[in-house]
């Protein structure tokens, strides 16, 4: 067997490890071993590369790079708060895009006769992912306004940048002297600049509430960039892994869009949450009943089946732990307690589940939309903690509502709905929630953590 | 090692199908670890980065390779570690 065949077999083994690793993510029980398997696959890919036949590596430089990257990665991974996971994934998407773009650039410099279209494609997607991700990070972190930033002609500018890039990639000869390498090189630099601009231009007009979609999409791009780079350097490991990540990101993007009843085009070009369209609560009066925590505790005492509906407000108040304590106390009183998790409950796909797992909530009581909705029919109390739009029944029947058609948790089917909110401010979609005025709804105002602490005390005293 | 473009496209398309099949089976509860895990896997660019850091390469392309290597290693190390940290928390009582 030739040495290069051994290298390629090692790449194949690493690809199999990635596939089996992701496969094991199908259940929380096997997930951790799956992640370990994937990381083993990565190690094999790295070893295969370092022993690549016929290549003389600059090992000291490689060691330097790996050391720097490993230390930074380690710091990120151990320091990040679970509430900050969306920001971290945004940064990592950006770095993934940048890495692919850098690899393609380096290849183009050493091998000028590389196919220009493929070079540009991987550099273009990689650079766009890089700036797009950092804008997304800035919005999530609050460095940039979370609101949609829009101006007149914005989409026209983006379209021009995109068209110009396509023209440059397909026919650089129209713009530069393409008979010589330096002509191509100039076109290459312009393509990078345009992609960096486009990444900003496409992400800036997207509102904070839509960030889960954007992060998922950029996740997909980072994979596609790696696959494109794989085509450039004819490397199967990059192509296979890149397409796995690309597929994963696209599937999650789709799930997030469905969770908000929006098309991808609407998220990217719709600019929901811009100053101009914001605050569209149509002044419909709702008569609410405000209860004390003591009264809420008495209602819970009489209940047998309770479903907790956590929203991001709960995580912001860092109240997951006390929510779990309340749930455990109720369980010890012989009641059944479940959690209803809407797909867009957190700031990224599956975010709320991680935040609850961190608070030691057992994963088998975390139910997704399809599982939990039939459960509300015979539920005594739905306890809404910081969720708003995802429990608004208007999504089912009010065609004039901006959230009409969005799949919601049917909490209003429960005998009693207890809603904890800080104030009567409308949710992300800027709509007042008609649920608050329902006959079976009661409101308990206050900070989620304080309210739950009071509630815990009251329930324990029963 | 120049493989013809059709084989590469074949591999790409088959991998997308496999990806679709297995990722659709990941439950919503694990979607965040799936994302951070795929961050780590997209760090596969580390392979391309290492291949760019050859003794004979010009310094520009070598140092661009180094930049790629740092970015990709952050993704690999950070991605796998943070995913493990999260998955450790998923417990059943």
């Amino acid at each position: 067997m030739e040495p290069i065949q051994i290298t390629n077999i090692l790449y194949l083994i690493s690809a199999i490890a990635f596939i089996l690793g992701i496969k094991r993510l199908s259940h929380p029980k096997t997930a951790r071993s799956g992640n370990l398997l994937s990381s083993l696959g990565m190690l094999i890919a790295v070893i295969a590369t370092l022993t690549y036949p016929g290549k003389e590596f600059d090992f000291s430089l490689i060691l330097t790079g790996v050391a720097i990257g490993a230390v930074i990665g380690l710091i990120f991974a151990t320091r990040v708060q679970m509430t900050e996971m969306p920001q971290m994934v945004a940064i990592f998407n950006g770095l993934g895009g940048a890495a692919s773009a850098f690899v393609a650039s380096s290849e183009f410099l050493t091998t000028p006769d590389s196919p220009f279209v493929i070079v540009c494609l991987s550099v273009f997607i990689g650079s766009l992912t890089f700036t797009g991700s950092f804008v997304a990070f800035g919005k999530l972190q609050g460095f940039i306004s979370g609101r949609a930033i829009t101006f007149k002609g914005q989409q026209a500018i983006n379209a021009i940048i995109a068209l110009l890039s396509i023209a440059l990639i397909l026919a650089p000869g129209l713009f530069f002297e393409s008979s010589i390498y330096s002509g191509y090189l100039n076109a290459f630099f312009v393509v990078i600049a345009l992609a960096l601009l486009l990444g900003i231009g496409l992400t800036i007009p997207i509102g904070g509430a839509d960030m889960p979609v954007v992060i998922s999409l950029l996740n997909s791009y980072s994979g596609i960039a790696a696959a494109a780079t794989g085509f450039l350097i004819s490397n199967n490991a990059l192509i296979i892994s890149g397409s796995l990540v690309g597929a994963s990101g696209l599937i999650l993007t789709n799930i997030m869009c469905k969770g908000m009843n929006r098309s991808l085009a609407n998220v990217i070009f719709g600019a929901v949450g811009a100053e101009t369209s914001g605050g569209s609560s149509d002044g419909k009066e709702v008569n609410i009943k405000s209860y004390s925590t003591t009264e809420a505790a008495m209602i819970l005492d009489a209940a047998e089946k309770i479903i907790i509906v956590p929203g991001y407000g709960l995580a912001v108040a860092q109240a997951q732990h006390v929510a779990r304590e309340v749930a455990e106390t109720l369980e010890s009183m012989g009641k059944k307690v479940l959690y209803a998790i809407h797909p867009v409950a957190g700031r990224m796909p599956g975010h709320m589940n991680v935040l609850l797992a961190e608070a030691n909530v057992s994963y088998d009581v975390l139910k997704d939309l399809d599982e939990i909705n039939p459960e509300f029919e015979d539920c005594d109390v739905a306890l809404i903690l910081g969720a708003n739009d995802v429990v608004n029944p208007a999504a089912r029947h009010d065609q004039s509502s901006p959230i009409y058609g969005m799949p919601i948790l049917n909490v209003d089917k429960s005998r009693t709905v207890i809603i904890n909110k800080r104030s009567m401010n409308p949710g992300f979609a800027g709509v007042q929630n008609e649920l608050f005025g329902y006959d079976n709804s009661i409101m308990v105002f206050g900070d989620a953590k304080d309210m739950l602490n009071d509630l815990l005390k009251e329930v324990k005293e029963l | 090692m120049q493989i013809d473009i059709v084989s590469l496209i074949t591999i790409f398309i088959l991998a997308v199908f496999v990806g679709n099949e297995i990722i659709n089976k990941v439950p919503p509860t694990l979607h965040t670890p799936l994302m951070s895990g795929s961050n780590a896997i997209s760090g596969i660019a580390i392979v391309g980065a290492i291949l760019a850091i050859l003794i004979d390469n010009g310094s520009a392309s070598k140092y661009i390779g180094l930049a790629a290597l740092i970015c990709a290693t952050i993704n690999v190390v950070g991605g796998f570690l943070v995913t493990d940290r999260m998955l450790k928390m998923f417990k059943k009582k």
Side-chain angles (χ1 to χ4, degrees):
Chain A
M1 196 162 15
E2 287 177 55
I4 185 69
Q5 286 177 313
I6 297 174
T7 309
N8 281 329
I9 288 170
L10 288 176
Y11 281 147
L12 176 65
I13 293 172
S14 93
I16 293 171
F18 292 147
I19 291 171
L20 294 178
I22 296 175
K23 205 160 175 257
R24 292 183 79 78
L25 274 181
S26 63
H27 198 283
K29 248 192 308 204
T30 53
R32 207 175 163 204
S33 67
N35 186 53
L36 193 68
L37 190 59
S38 295
S39 60
L40 211 64
M42 190 61 76
L43 185 67
I44 293 171
V46 169
I47 291 171
T49 310
L50 289 173
T51 55
Y52 207 98
K55 306 264 184 194
E56 266 187 86
F57 293 106
D58 185 339
F59 281 109
S60 63
L61 205 55
I62 290 176
L63 205 65
T64 312
V66 169
I68 296 173
V71 169
I72 299 174
L74 187 76
I75 293 172
F76 266 125
T78 47
R79 295 272 173 87
V80 68
Q81 301 282 313
M82 287 304 142
T83 43
E84 298 165 341
M85 274 314 293
Q87 287 94 310
M88 173 156 172
V89 167
I91 292 178
F92 280 22
N93 286 340
L95 293 177
S100 296
F102 280 134
V103 171
S105 306
S106 171
E107 175 71 11
F108 186 51
L109 291 181
T110 44
T111 322
D113 60 344
S114 315
F116 189 68
V117 175
I118 303 182
V119 170
C120 285
L121 210 60
S122 68
V123 168
F124 187 79
I125 303 170
S127 309
L128 180 151
T129 309
F130 177 70
T131 48
S133 298
F134 276 85
V135 172
F137 164 76
K139 287 197 173 220
L140 288 161
Q141 189 70 30
F143 291 153
I144 307 174
S145 162
R147 288 208 160 259
I149 300 166
T150 50
F151 52 86
K152 219 168 170 236
Q154 189 172 33
Q155 288 176 22
I157 293 174
N158 285 343
I160 290 168
I161 296 178
L163 287 175
L164 206 59
S165 313
I166 294 171
L168 260 170
I169 294 171
L170 294 179
L174 289 177
F175 305 88
F176 295 99
E177 183 63 66
S178 65
S179 54
I180 47 168
Y181 177 52
S182 67
Y184 274 107
L185 207 57
N186 287 335
F188 167 80
F189 286 127
V190 176
V191 166
I192 295 179
L194 290 176
L196 292 172
L197 268 179
L198 192 61
I200 299 171
L202 286 175
T203 326
I204 272 280
I206 300 176
D210 288 339
M211 279 304 128
V213 180
V214 176
I215 303 177
S216 310
L217 191 63
L218 290 167
N219 190 236
S220 171
Y221 287 174
S222 75
I224 296 169
T229 307
F231 276 97
L232 179 64
I233 62 171
S234 297
N235 190 300
N236 289 340
L238 263 83
I239 295 178
I240 296 175
S241 320
S243 34
L244 290 177
V245 175
S248 161
L250 270 187
I251 289 171
L252 294 174
T253 306
N254 198 16
I255 291 173
M256 288 296 105
C257 283
K258 270 194 198 146
M260 299 193 295
N261 189 41
R262 310 261 306 278
S263 69
L264 186 55
N266 183 269
V267 171
I268 295 175
F269 304 113
V272 169
E275 303 284 356
T276 46
S277 71
S280 67
S281 49
D282 48 6
K284 240 183 254 169
E285 288 284 316
V286 284
N287 290 313
I288 56 155
K289 298 178 285 297
S290 176
Y291 276 47
S292 68
T293 44
T294 318
E295 289 164 302
M298 273 150 53
I299 296 172
L300 285 170
D301 183 39
E304 275 171 23
K305 181 174 172 186
I306 298 149
I307 299 177
I308 297 176
V309 183
Y312 195 65
L314 184 78
V316 173
Q318 281 294 313
Q320 311 94 296
H321 294 270
V322 54
R324 192 249 314 150
E325 282 184 70
V326 171
E328 279 178 355
T329 311
L330 292 168
E331 274 170 347
S332 71
M333 294 158 76
K335 304 175 195 307
K336 186 178 181 190
V337 184
L338 297 171
Y339 292 79
I341 317 285
H342 193 277
V344 294
R347 282 289 176 275
M348 67 182 287
H351 193 198
M352 187 53 67
N353 303 72
V354 172
L355 295 171
L356 291 172
E358 188 188 21
N360 283 323
V361 176
S362 172
Y363 63 75
D364 59 332
V365 294
L366 304 177
K367 304 290 181 192
D368 63 36
L369 193 77
D370 295 332
E371 282 178 299
I372 201 73
N373 263 343
E375 302 270 356
F376 285 112
E377 309 276 345
D378 65 344
C379 166
D380 298 305
V381 178
L383 180 59
I384 321 289
L385 302 170
N388 191 352
D389 293 333
V390 297
V391 294
N392 190 346
R396 285 201 308 261
H397 63 80
D398 182 0
Q399 296 198 15
S400 67
S401 170
I403 60 165
Y404 176 69
M406 179 169 121
I408 58 157
L409 295 162
N410 297 328
V411 295
D412 53 308
K413 310 268 188 206
S414 317
R415 213 148 296 145
T416 309
V417 187
I418 302 178
I419 302 138
N420 167 243
K421 264 175 78 69
R422 196 185 272 276
S423 68
M424 280 302 283
N425 282 339
F428 249 132
V431 224
Q432 197 55 271
N433 194 337
E434 63 172 53
L435 172 74
F436 303 160
Y438 277 29
D439 287 340
N440 57 342
S441 295
I442 60 168
M443 311 282 298
V444 182
F445 287 106
D447 171 77
K449 200 172 188 173
D450 297 341
M451 191 285 282
L452 286 167
N453 272 320
D454 288 349
L455 192 63
L456 183 64
K457 233 179 286 162
E458 302 276 0
V459 171
K460 277 186 169 160
E461 281 169 13
L462 287 169
Chain B
M1 179 201 58
Q2 208 63 38
I3 311 172
D4 78 303
I5 189 84
V6 179
S7 330
L8 295 179
I9 292 175
T10 308
I11 291 167
F12 174 71
I13 296 201
L14 291 179
V16 170
F17 275 103
V18 171
N20 242 311
E21 284 301 312
I22 53 173
I23 286 145
N24 267 320
K25 295 201 173 70
V26 177
T29 248
L30 294 177
H31 277 167
T32 295
L34 169 66
M35 254 178 138
S36 60
S38 56
N39 274 153
I41 294 177
S42 75
I44 190 71
I46 194 171
V47 165
I50 293 172
L51 288 171
I53 307 180
L54 302 176
I55 300 239
D56 297 337
N57 279 3
S59 61
S61 100
K62 242 202 266 192
Y63 284 103
I64 294 174
L66 178 67
L69 184 60
I70 293 173
C71 292
T73 311
I74 295 174
N75 266 14
V76 169
V77 174
F80 282 125
L81 284 180
V82 84
T83 307
D84 187 64
R85 203 180 127 200
M86 265 188 277
L87 292 174
K88 245 193 317 209
M89 301 185 314
F90 281 85
K91 288 189 200 98
K92 189 175 167 180
K93 286 194 193 111

